[in-house]
Amino acid sequence: MARRITVGAAQLGAIQKSDSRKVAVERMLALMAEGERRGVELIVFPELALTTFFPRHYIENLEEADHWYETAMPSNETAPLFEAARRYRMGFHLGYAELAHEPDETGQVRKRRFNTAILVNPDGRIVLKYRKVHLPGHAEFDPARRVQHLEKRYFEVGNLGFPVVRTPMGRRDEGINMGLMICNDRRWPEAWRVMGLQSVELVMLGYNTPSINQEAKGWEAHHLRVFHSHLSVQAGCYQNACWGVAVAKAGIEDGAELFGHSIIVNPQGEIVAMADTWEDQLVTYDCDLEMCRLGRTSIFNFAAHRRPEHYTRITAQVGAVEPPVV
Ligand code: CDT
């Protein structure tokens, strides 16, 4: 029997600073109801889906930012998403800011803040959790920027690695190998390959990406922002023979523009579905998981062709060094 799953990329339009979680959840519930009508078995919401992309706002005292974070999942506000999952027999992916009290590397229990994503199965059970590893932006207020990007202030680097689980989802009782990454992670081939090495078949990721690169030292054409996002997801899927669902928060949020262009990508690296608005929009595709087989048994048969003895720089070194002059 063909191994297929109908996935929904549930793009969200802007969520303003003044919008409550209740408003955001109601919009997500509407997309889940639409997904139910369209046969969606797994719906993917964006990064930090419950609030505005608050890292654009500088707050000096971190404690005063606690209201942006979730201390429990589910919570009173998010419980309706878990109930809808059970009602519709639909899995979901959700990105949110997480505030946890847990030991750090020294063993001391303290307040910790992460940019987190979870995968919930149709029983309403959290089956996978990921905390963002590649945190872009800066930690201090930058007067040179019109819009701040303070992820390095508001989050610690994720401490869960890039886990992949095999778990039943939709019609697939025998399980699907699924992994999560968040926004900027999609630009790093290392993240994809760590999941590829765990035979991932479906990667879900949410993003909040500004339409303008405030870090560009020179001028960067606007269209390249979307191109680079798509290029990264398409390359990741092709080189690791997996499906990808990349979902935006889009539109003008607190006066700053986020591009949409949410996509579903097949294991050949082709875009098979794409959002064409900057609003709440559900894009669906019936994914044939057998398509993963071609890449992983031929050109990306890792066991046959990888040469890790030549890749030691990848983990031994962080920044680039200059080559020898000859
Ligand atoms: N949210 C997120 O990771 N956004 C980044 C833009 C960073 S610009 C400082 C991204 O890679 O899309």
Side-chain angles (χ1 to χ4, degrees):
M1 189 176 89
R3 295 180 67 230
R4 309 185 83 94
I5 182 164
T6 301
V7 298
Q11 179 173 287
L12 291 176
I15 299 177
Q16 308 303 338
K17 200 175 174 186
S18 55
D19 289 338
S20 66
R21 284 169 177 70
K22 190 166 184 295
V23 167
V25 167
E26 275 167 8
R27 286 166 52 183
M28 286 187 257
L29 290 172
L31 289 164
M32 289 178 88
E34 183 182 343
E36 142 81 356
R37 292 192 289 277
R38 291 168 58 182
V40 168
E41 296 164 289
L42 172 59
I43 192 163
V44 180
F45 295 114
E47 174 191 33
L48 301 179
L50 297 167
T51 64
T52 193
F53 186 73
F54 65 87
R56 73 168 69 87
H57 300 295
Y58 178 76
I59 298 178
E60 188 164 340
N61 180 355
L62 260 191
E63 304 291 314
E64 288 169 19
D66 281 357
H67 64 98
W68 294 118
Y69 298 78
E70 311 305 311
T71 52
M73 192 57 68
S75 58
N76 286 343
E77 289 101 335
T78 54
L81 297 172
F82 290 73
E83 285 154 18
R86 286 189 284 270
R87 184 164 65 250
Y88 300 142
R89 301 298 305 157
M90 185 188 299
F92 73 90
H93 160 285
L94 178 72
Y96 63 98
E98 179 189 12
L99 198 156
H101 287 87
E102 60 179 45
D104 60 19
E105 16 338 291
T106 68
Q108 190 192 340
V109 175
R110 61 174 174 83
K111 206 185 252 191
R112 307 191 66 180
R113 299 169 172 85
F114 297 101
N115 187 341
T116 296
I118 50 169
L119 176 63
V120 178
N121 76 7
D123 296 330
R125 184 165 61 89
I126 297 173
V127 290
L128 185 58
K129 183 174 187 171
Y130 167 69
R131 289 167 168 169
K132 187 174 184 178
V133 167
H134 298 100
L135 298 174
H138 46 110
E140 298 303 328
F141 184 82
D142 180 355
R145 301 177 65 114
R146 192 184 70 78
V147 182
Q148 305 295 304
H149 197 108
L150 291 153
E151 285 197 60
K152 283 184 170 24
R153 181 177 194 81
Y154 289 118
F155 304 117
E156 292 183 53
V157 172
N159 57 357
L160 303 176
F162 292 98
V164 174
V165 289
R166 182 175 186 85
T167 190
M169 194 62 74
R171 286 165 277 174
R172 304 273 45 98
D173 285 343
E174 83 285 10
I176 300 171
N177 302 350
M178 289 177 285
L180 314 178
M181 60 172 79
I182 301 178
C183 194
N184 189 263
D185 290 321
R186 73 195 186 284
R187 305 183 195 274
W188 298 91
E190 296 90 337
W192 289 94
R193 183 48 51 86
V194 169
M195 292 204 273
L197 286 167
Q198 298 169 81
S199 305
V200 72
E201 295 176 299
L202 176 59
V203 171
M204 286 153 267
L205 70 100
Y207 60 93
N208 283 262
T209 304
S211 297
I212 293 173
N213 181 358
Q214 303 248 338
E215 266 156 35
K217 301 295 179 234
W219 182 75
E220 186 181 75
H222 292 185
H223 73 278
L224 293 179
R225 299 288 282 166
V226 173
F227 171 66
H228 292 153
S229 177
H230 287 180
L231 179 69
S232 302
V233 178
Q234 292 180 255
C237 288
Y238 165 61
Q239 293 170 348
N240 296 281
C242 62
W243 287 88
V245 186
V247 183
K249 178 126 68 59
I252 315 284
E253 202 177 75
D254 301 341
E257 188 178 294
L258 300 169
F259 67 71
H261 294 82
S262 302
I263 48 173
I264 301 173
V265 174
N266 74 17
Q268 297 282 13
E270 295 171 298
I271 295 174
V272 293
M274 179 162 70
D276 57 2
T277 73
W278 281 7
E279 312 289 332
D280 294 0
Q281 184 180 358
L282 183 68
V283 177
T284 68
Y285 198 78
D286 191 28
C287 304
D288 180 357
L289 298 160
E290 287 304 318
M291 275 188 76
C292 302
R293 191 186 300 275
L294 176 66
R296 60 190 57 189
T297 55
S298 57
I299 199 152
F300 295 114
N301 178 343
F302 294 157
H305 306 306
R306 287 187 77 248
R307 293 287 170 253
E309 67 275 23
H310 294 292
Y311 309 151
T312 50
R313 269 185 200 274
I314 296 280
T315 53
Q317 190 178 318
V318 182
V321 295
E322 290 296 319
V325 177
V326 292

